[in-house]
């Protein structure tokens, strides 16, 4: 019993000795000196400016301030604060440079805003909310549409054919030297278009599939047997070409992004018509929109004598 008590007291004494030595060791360790607070990055503005000196050189700085006869500035080149005498700074040139830099920044801001507005306009999805008449809305798919008498019709596209004039071809065969000019006829198969309109003054709406500005012509076709002739192309021995077609004036009006309205200055006479799209530096598109205008029905009283 006594031996057990002595062993416990010995262990307690060793523990107290180790604990006291630990405290002494910690007390003898040097206390680290407090570090000066780091300068906050927000103190330095994000834009730089020129501090122009009297000798014509300049310091590129983030900011500067006058302190008595000294100028304190933050150097962009060396990323630290520096000082120089006030009399070494050309203050008039420095202020002029700041005004010029602000003017350029304002121009850049305006241009960025213009680009943003342009991109926003391109991204706008134009759907069937375009009203082309009372309760009449333009479909949201690309294509050519005709509006007349409270109705809207989609015009289908048809491929044109080019045919060499047979009479000119025979003359060229008989004459060995190719001095006879050639003539090609641009035609559509069939004497009548599938889409029929009544006599009147329609309007046309073209919704494009891209951002191009369409060049459109309305042409009155001539009936040649079972075909509709759109135009003739005469090619001379010099290589020059003359295109001949019966074109009616159309006025183009932008309605919305990728949507254009075309109006006529006159009513359409009965006949067959074709809408062409002109491709810059290439001529007309090989696909056209066609329709026909029918004669108005005769009045029941027509031909009766009183």
């Amino acid at each position: 019993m006594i031996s057990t008590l002595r062993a416990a007291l010995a262990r307690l004494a060793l523990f107290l000795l180790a604990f006291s030595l630990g405290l002494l060791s910690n007390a003898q360790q040097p206390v680290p000196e407090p570090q000066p607070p780091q300068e906050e990055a927000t103190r330095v503005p994000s834009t730089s400016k020129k501090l122009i000196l009297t000798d014509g050189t300049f310091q590129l700085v983030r900011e500067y301030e006058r302190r008595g006869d000294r100028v304190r500035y933050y150097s962009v080149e060396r990323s630290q604060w520096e000082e120089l005498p006030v009399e070494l700074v050309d203050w008039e040139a420095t202020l002029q440079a700041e005004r010029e830099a602000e003017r350029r920044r304002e121009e850049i801001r305006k241009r960025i805003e213009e680009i943003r507005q342009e991109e926003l306009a391109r991204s706008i999805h134009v759907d069937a909310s375009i009203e082309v008449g009372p309760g009449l809305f333009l479909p949201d798919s690309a294509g050519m549409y005709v509006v007349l008498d409270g109705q809207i019709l989609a015009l289908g596209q048809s491929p044109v054919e080019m045919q060499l004039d047979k009479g000119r071809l025979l003359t060229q065969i008989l004459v060995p030297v190719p001095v006879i000019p050639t003539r090609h006829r641009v035609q559509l198969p069939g004497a009548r278009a599938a889409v029929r309109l009544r006599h009147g003054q329609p309007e046309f709406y073209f919704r494009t599939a891209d951002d191009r500005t369409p060049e459109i012509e309305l042409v009155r076709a001539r009936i040649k047997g079972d075909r509709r002739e759109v135009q003739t192309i005469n090619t001379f021995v010099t290589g020059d070409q003359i295109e001949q077609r019966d074109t009616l004036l159309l006025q183009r009006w932008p309605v919305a992004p990728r949507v254009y309205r075309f109006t006529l200055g006159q009513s359409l006479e009965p006949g067959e018509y074709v809408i062409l799209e002109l491709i810059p530096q290439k001529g007309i598109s090989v696909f056209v929109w066609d329709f026909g205008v029918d004669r108005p029905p005769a009045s029941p009283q027509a031909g009766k004598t009183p």
Side-chain angles (χ1 to χ4, degrees):
M1 179 72 177
I2 296 175
S3 60
T4 303
L5 181 60
R6 287 177 178 175
L9 291 174
R11 287 196 297 270
L12 179 60
L14 290 173
F15 173 77
L16 293 175
L17 178 61
F19 181 74
S20 61
L21 290 175
L23 290 178
L24 180 60
S25 174
N26 290 336
Q28 291 177 349
Q29 290 182 357
V31 178
E33 296 181 1
Q35 297 295 324
Q38 297 292 328
E39 189 170 14
E40 297 182 359
T42 54
R43 181 177 179 181
V44 180
S46 59
T47 58
S48 59
K49 59 187 70 177
K50 290 181 180 180
L51 190 63
I52 300 179
L53 307 182
T54 54
D55 61 358
T57 62
F58 64 88
Q59 294 287 338
L60 194 61
V61 304
R62 292 286 181 88
E63 66 173 302
Y64 64 86
E65 57 182 350
R66 297 180 63 169
R67 291 185 174 181
D69 60 349
R70 308 290 292 178
V71 178
R72 187 169 182 264
Y73 62 90
Y74 188 90
S75 172
V76 174
E77 180 182 1
R78 291 171 291 278
S79 300
Q80 64 182 15
W81 288 95
E82 298 177 354
E83 292 186 356
L84 54 77
V86 170
E87 60 269 15
L88 295 183
V89 179
D90 187 338
W91 293 107
E92 183 177 353
T94 298
L95 295 177
Q96 178 63 29
E98 290 182 11
R99 287 192 291 266
E100 181 64 21
E102 180 59 29
R103 184 188 64 81
R104 288 197 299 268
R105 284 193 292 268
E106 183 63 25
E107 290 179 354
I108 293 173
R109 283 193 291 266
K110 289 182 179 179
R111 183 53 187 156
I112 291 175
E113 179 62 20
E114 291 175 359
I115 295 174
R116 190 186 70 83
Q117 293 295 336
E118 292 173 1
E119 293 296 330
L120 180 62
R122 292 193 187 99
S123 65
I124 293 176
H125 175 67
V126 182
D127 53 17
S129 61
I130 298 178
E131 189 173 11
V132 297
L136 196 63
F137 294 90
L138 187 69
D140 59 357
S141 57
M144 182 70 70
Y145 301 90
V146 57
V147 177
L148 181 65
D149 296 335
Q151 293 183 331
I152 182 168
L153 298 173
L155 297 180
Q157 281 190 301
S158 302
V160 295
E161 302 173 350
M162 183 173 290
Q163 185 179 30
L164 182 63
D165 189 294
K166 294 182 179 179
R168 298 295 180 90
L169 177 60
L170 179 61
T171 305
Q172 283 188 324
I173 293 174
L174 295 177
V175 179
V177 181
V179 294
I180 305 299
T182 61
R183 172 181 293 175
H184 288 82
R185 302 180 186 277
V186 180
Q187 300 174 332
L188 280 172
R192 286 170 57 88
V195 177
R196 313 304 302 176
L197 304 179
R198 291 184 295 177
H199 179 70
Q201 192 169 341
E203 292 185 351
F204 303 94
Y205 286 82
F206 187 25
R207 188 191 290 275
T208 64
D210 51 30
D211 295 325
R212 73 182 187 277
T213 301
E215 296 292 337
I216 298 297
E217 282 190 4
L218 178 61
V219 176
R220 183 168 184 176
R222 294 190 297 176
I223 308 300
K224 297 287 185 178
D226 61 347
R227 297 182 180 277
R228 288 161 289 164
E229 184 177 285
V230 179
Q231 73 172 14
T232 59
I233 303 176
N234 293 318
T235 304
F236 298 94
V237 293
T238 59
D240 296 330
Q241 289 185 341
I242 294 181
E243 299 179 357
Q244 294 178 330
R245 52 182 178 264
D246 186 5
T247 303
L248 286 79
L249 180 63
L250 280 177
Q251 181 70 38
R252 182 182 65 204
W253 309 88
V255 176
R258 300 186 179 184
V259 178
Y260 297 87
R261 172 184 173 223
F262 296 89
T263 58
L264 285 161
Q266 64 190 64
S267 297
L268 293 180
E269 297 295 329
E272 300 299 317
Y273 294 88
V274 175
I275 298 177
L276 309 174
E277 182 174 6
L278 304 180
I279 308 300
Q281 300 178 352
K282 293 184 179 180
I284 66 172
S285 172
V286 295
F287 289 94
V288 299
W289 299 271
D290 59 327
F291 65 94
V293 176
D294 295 327
R295 293 185 179 277
S299 172
Q301 301 297 325
K304 292 185 179 181
T305 57

